[in-house]
Amino acid sequence: KEQYHKTWDGDSITIAGKNIGDVGAEKVAKSLIENDTLFELRLIYCFVGDEGAKALGEALGKNYKLEHLCLHGNQILAEGAKAIAEGILKNTSLKALSFGSNKKYPLNYVIKEEIK
């Protein structure tokens, strides 16, 4: 039996330990574009890779409500981090971003370089 945690309280969604992968992240991203109530999204250890991060980056550029995004423990590398950074440049609401434990890759550095 797969163990995972999923919560939604109206303005915050957490999915943790569920293998949603890039396809699931793309679905979440599509919903995020149309959503005007969600303030916090956490996809933790969900096997999200660069393709999912690209979709989320695009969504960030079109969403102006999300304030906190946590992508801790996924499989995002430089290409996905760059897409997230591009979305951040267009976004006016995001206040916090967490990328910890993504395949031991220095994503914070990649994002900092992209948004300079």
Side-chain angles (χ1 to χ4, degrees):
K1 183 176 176 182
E2 188 175 14
Q3 295 291 318
Y4 72 97
H5 174 72
K6 179 179 175 183
T7 61
W8 179 45
D9 65 11
D11 61 359
S12 176
I13 294 176
T14 299
I15 302 173
K18 177 76 173 162
N19 185 1
I20 68 167
D22 289 332
V23 173
E26 289 167 357
K27 290 178 182 179
V28 169
K30 183 178 178 184
S31 296
L32 190 60
I33 291 170
E34 300 167 1
N35 188 292
D36 63 354
T37 60
L38 190 68
F39 287 97
E40 184 172 33
L41 174 62
R42 290 188 280 302
L43 302 177
I44 303 168
Y45 290 100
C46 289
F47 296 91
V48 176
D50 284 341
E51 294 304 313
K54 287 179 191 177
L56 290 166
E58 182 180 339
L60 278 175
K62 297 176 181 177
N63 177 288
Y64 302 102
K65 289 288 186 182
L66 194 70
E67 294 181 1
H68 303 278
L69 175 61
C70 177
L71 297 171
H72 186 84
N74 286 288
Q75 299 177 343
I76 301 167
L77 298 173
E79 191 175 336
K82 287 179 184 179
I84 294 288
E86 289 170 6
I88 289 171
L89 289 172
K90 297 174 186 172
N91 185 288
T92 58
S93 62
L94 196 68
K95 297 177 183 176
L97 173 66
S98 173
F99 261 110
S101 299
N102 272 279
K103 287 199 150 193
K104 308 293 184 207
Y105 197 81
L107 297 178
N108 292 338
Y109 174 77
V110 172
I111 290 175
K112 286 179 187 174
E113 289 300 306
E114 287 297 312
I115 60 175
K116 277 187 179 178

